[in-house]
Amino acid sequence: MRINEERLRQRMDRINAIAVTEEEGMMRLALSDADREARDLLVSWMEEAGMSVRIDDMGTVYGVMKGTDEKALPICVGSHMDTQPNGGKYDGFFGVMAGLEAILSIKESGLELDSDLILADWTNEEGARFVPPMLASGVNAGVFDPQWVYDREDTEGVRYEDELKRIGYQGEKENRLTKAKAYLEPHIEQGPVLDAKGLSCGIVTGALGITGLDITISGEANHAGTTPMSHRKDALVAAAEAISRIRKNCIDFGEPAVITNGIINAQPASKNIVPGTVYFSIDLRYHTDEGMAELEQQTKDIIQKTCDEFGVSVQIEQYWRAKPAVFNETIVGCVEEAANEKNLPAMRIISGAGHDAVFISEIIPTGMIFVPSIKGMSHCPQENTKWEDLVAGTELTADVLVKLDKETI
Amino acid sequence: MRINEERLRQRMDRINAIAVTEEEGMMRLALSDADREARDLLVSWMEEAGMSVRIDDMGTVYGVMKGTDEKALPICVGSHMDTQPNGGKYDGFFGVMAGLEAILSIKESGLELDSDLILADWTNEEGARFVPPMLASGVNAGVFDPQWVYDREDTEGVRYEDELKRIGYQGEKENRLTKAKAYLEPHIEQGPVLDAKGLSCGIVTGALGITGLDITISGEANHAGTTPMSHRKDALVAAAEAISRIRKNCIDFGEPAVITNGIINAQPASKNIVPGTVYFSIDLRYHTDEGMAELEQQTKDIIQKTCDEFGVSVQIEQYWRAKPAVFNETIVGCVEEAANEKNLPAMRIISGAGHDAVFISEIIPTGMIFVPSIKGMSHCPQENTKWEDLVAGTELTADVLVKLDKETI
């Protein structure tokens, strides 16, 4: 399916010109004035194309292009338009614009689909303004309580619901996306794999589950000069050894397992005092529930054993748990088939990041399309994707929507 | 030499009652009102004993008990009365009070010594209020420039010299201790060795040198989910491996080598971002110059090699260098002989901590006596030494002063 490249480029440039940082990053925080301006433009383009627009109670915007069969379930495509502070031009935003352009191109091609095609712009995917991420899609999937989301505050103490009202995007609960034949989310990879392999497209089969652990090791703070090595209970050397060992274990466990220790600090944090306490975080990801549980247990056991060896004690607490997502095989198959038909260099890939699609997959058959991120950079002004890959991803989105309309799911 | 136990106890209790924290720690910061009150009491006790009192330009207080030989060089004993915030009852303070009690006991015994006996209370040994430590003894030894010390400021921006004037303890440069036959410093060990071995006395042969290094490892910050293990340049896993390896190397290097990584942090310090930069500190100590240089080079080489393996870069900067101190063998011999004569369970030991004696040893033949620290605790309210060990240490101090008077050094 050919798309209107020039329209896609002009519309992306138009919204990406709304709120630009000094480093040429995007600053379209959820429910900000910039977000409102982007929404207003999106709504105007939907209406101009003859789509009917509805807003749900979380502020998610849906544009509906009518199909020919009243009884057919709708097919939804979308992503989010909010950004990180000083974020990139494509994270989320590409999915919304690719979805819009795909729907318009299908209509303009003269093809008539049975299903309604719905374009969705989910509110607050980033979690940059209101924590945690994916608030609107989480409510839509029944994961979050809507009142709890309304009461989320940004760092200034401003409530989600109050901002939703202020920018004029508080709609009705009845408008949520509760039933659909399929949900498809085009997105940038935000990782280095496709770019490093020189591929144009990722056929996303699911998303890694996440286990977050807080590790606190307690030894004995002591004088750096007067305490012989043999008399020490150094919390940091135990932590360092544990970090080395759990990393090796994770690599041996095999891809796509990843482990990250993003935060570490030692107390009392004096150059001439042996650390008595060390805290570090663990972010552990895997693509199956059983594997995740096994990897988590191995990781905990290694830490416990290491601390025993060093004569220090350890507390391990789980601060986060997100189940792996497994996408619908029929939808994944449609993406793969469409990529093959276009001769797009592609591979099956598992998403390491969270996406609205992860929550939506709990209630609606879901799939995703990845386009490459140059050097894997994201959440920064350097985030980039070749224009031809964005065009190919948009065309692929249109092709997949047409296939999904014909497919039984 | 028998001492007046009751007088020693009462005087220690009197000064230790001046500024007590909620946790029963000492709060006698250098040149504070509490320090002035302690100095005023010390001066009154010196004068009461017939000692002449002089103050030098750094605020160090000297009490002189005249000897019989005008031509004999004086013998000095002392330590410091300032404490850490919420510090212990004996660190430094024991040495001053043991010196005073020893001098009084010698006089009261009827013994007449050739040399003048001088008691010194060095200003700002702790470095807790004015950084770095051992400012007055450092000026006395020619290590620090006096004007630079005068301009040191505490965290409130108050200058050393202004506080010295305010509490009325700014004396004359001419009063510094420039020439003496010997300097002896009794002190608590501040380490666990004597207590663990059940000994009453440490015959201190010198002090460890210190090399302080700042290590900054730079890799690449990346998304914790989307970056496969094989694509990472994780600064923290390189740091963790380096910390493990340099510790093993230090243990293999052999006692008394010690290595401490007191501070560590990772940037950007987010649980779901692979650390792009990690800083950690190294405090490395050894008792010989050559060994210290060798250990430092080995440590740097291991870090560089580890970082090369992990594909990250590293910057190593030296923030501190203190030469090892080797005490005068005649004085060390006098301490050993006196301990043997008293049947005190004792051992030769190297100080891991810095002391005024370390600087003074650069210009005057120096020795130290350690009394045990229970469980090695220091710089905290739990710092403690058995009363009988304090008494034995004070008696030993008197015995050593008498021996030093007879000895040719």
Side-chain angles (χ1 to χ4, degrees), chain B residues 128-144:
Chain B
R129 182 171 184 196
F130 299 100
V131 177
M134 307 185 288
L135 284 179
S137 54
V139 168
N140 195 81
V143 177
F144 299 133

Side-chain angles (χ1 to χ4, degrees), chain A residues 190 192-193 214 223-226 231-232 236-237 240-241 244 247-248 258-262 270-271 275 279 285 319 352-353, chain B residues 190-192 214 223-226 231-232 236-237 240-241 244 247 258-262 270-271 275 279 285 319 352-353:
Chain A
Q190 300 183 275
V193 177
D214 286 320
H223 193 294
T226 62
H231 282 255
R232 297 183 177 205
L236 181 57
V237 302
E241 189 65 33
S244 285
R247 174 179 168 272
K248 282 177 199 126
V258 283
I259 187 166
T260 304
N261 310 111
S270 167
K271 286 180 177 179
Y279 164 82
R285 306 195 186 198
Y319 68 83
Chain B
Q190 300 181 273
D214 287 320
H223 192 294
T226 62
H231 282 255
R232 296 183 176 206
L236 181 57
V237 302
E241 189 65 32
S244 286
R247 173 180 170 272
V258 283
I259 188 166
T260 303
N261 310 110
S270 167
K271 286 180 177 179
Y279 164 82
R285 306 195 186 199
Y319 68 84

Side-chain angles (χ1 to χ4, degrees), chain A residues 63-359:
Chain A
V64 185
M65 181 69 79
K66 281 310 266 180
T68 54
D69 183 353
E70 287 280 332
K71 285 175 287 177
L73 281 172
I75 295 168
C76 184
V77 60
S79 191
H80 60 94
M81 295 207 297
D82 68 321
T83 70
Q84 292 281 330
N86 203 23
K89 289 188 175 66
Y90 304 115
D91 176 1
F93 183 55
F94 166 65
V96 175
M97 298 314 282
L100 176 63
E101 184 56 40
I103 291 172
L104 299 193
S105 299
I106 291 168
K107 187 190 177 198
E108 287 159 7
S109 76
L111 265 180
E112 292 201 329
L113 304 195
D114 289 345
S115 290
D116 292 354
L117 293 181
I118 300 179
L119 175 67
D121 166 27
W122 304 101
T123 304
N124 198 77
E125 191 273 347
E126 292 292 355
R129 182 173 184 193
F130 299 99
V131 178
M134 305 185 291
L135 284 179
S137 54
V139 168
N140 195 81
V143 177
F144 298 134
D145 174 72
Q147 187 58 49
W148 179 80
V149 172
Y150 273 168
D151 291 335
R152 294 297 86 202
E153 291 178 354
D154 67 11
T155 53
E156 318 273 287
V158 181
R159 289 173 71 247
Y160 183 108
E161 184 184 19
D162 295 340
E163 282 294 271
L164 202 54
K165 283 190 171 137
R166 185 184 70 80
I167 70 163
Y169 276 87
Q170 188 179 37
E172 305 302 321
K173 180 181 171 184
E174 290 68 41
N175 288 336
R176 293 184 196 165
L177 185 79
T178 48
K179 286 185 91 174
K181 184 178 182 185
Y183 173 68
L184 178 69
E185 184 163 347
H187 206 282
I188 59 168
E189 182 197 341
Q190 300 183 275
V193 177
L194 297 176
D195 182 50
K197 290 187 191 286
L199 302 176
S200 305
C201 167
I203 301 144
V204 189
T205 59
L208 300 182
I210 308 175
T211 298
L213 302 174
D214 286 320
I215 312 295
T216 307
I217 297 180
S218 300
E220 258 177 39
N222 261 313
H223 193 294
T226 62
T227 318
M229 297 305 280
S230 53
H231 282 255
R232 297 183 177 205
K233 292 185 175 177
D234 186 330
L236 181 57
V237 302
E241 189 65 33
I243 287 169
S244 285
R245 291 179 185 178
I246 58 181
R247 174 179 168 272
K248 282 177 199 126
N249 182 68
C250 179
I251 292 170
D252 292 344
F253 200 83
E255 290 198 342
V258 283
I259 187 166
T260 304
N261 310 111
I263 300 181
I264 187 167
N265 55 66
Q267 296 300 330
S270 167
K271 286 180 177 179
N272 54 18
I273 301 180
V274 177
T277 312
V278 167
Y279 164 82
F280 66 93
S281 63
I282 295 182
D283 177 298
L284 203 56
R285 306 195 186 198
Y286 201 61
H287 69 304
T288 69
D289 256 334
E290 311 70 44
M292 184 84 241
E294 198 183 333
L295 183 56
E296 180 183 347
Q297 194 55 52
Q298 288 179 3
T299 301
K300 286 177 173 174
D301 290 347
I302 290 168
I303 294 169
Q304 185 62 59
K305 189 165 167 289
T306 307
C307 288
D308 290 347
E309 276 176 40
F310 282 83
V312 296
S313 64
V314 62
Q315 265 204 313
I316 302 180
E317 273 171 37
Q318 195 180 83
Y319 68 83
W320 181 252
R321 180 95 166 85
K323 281 170 41 175
V326 179
F327 290 157
N328 180 279
E329 187 49 41
T330 305
I331 301 178
V332 172
C334 283
V335 174
E336 191 156 46
E337 201 177 273
N340 285 342
E341 286 167 10
K342 279 179 71 68
N343 288 318
L344 270 187
M347 68 178 281
R348 287 191 171 222
I349 190 169
I350 297 165
S351 172
H355 294 291
D356 292 309
V358 172
F359 277 151

Side-chain angles (χ1 to χ4, degrees), chain B residues 386-407:
Chain B
K386 283 185 217 150
W387 178 248
E388 60 259 38
D389 287 333
L390 294 173
V391 171
T394 307
E395 291 177 348
L396 186 67
T397 299
D399 294 344
V400 173
L401 291 176
V402 172
K403 279 184 188 291
L404 290 173
D405 186 62
K406 294 193 190 113
E407 201 69 52

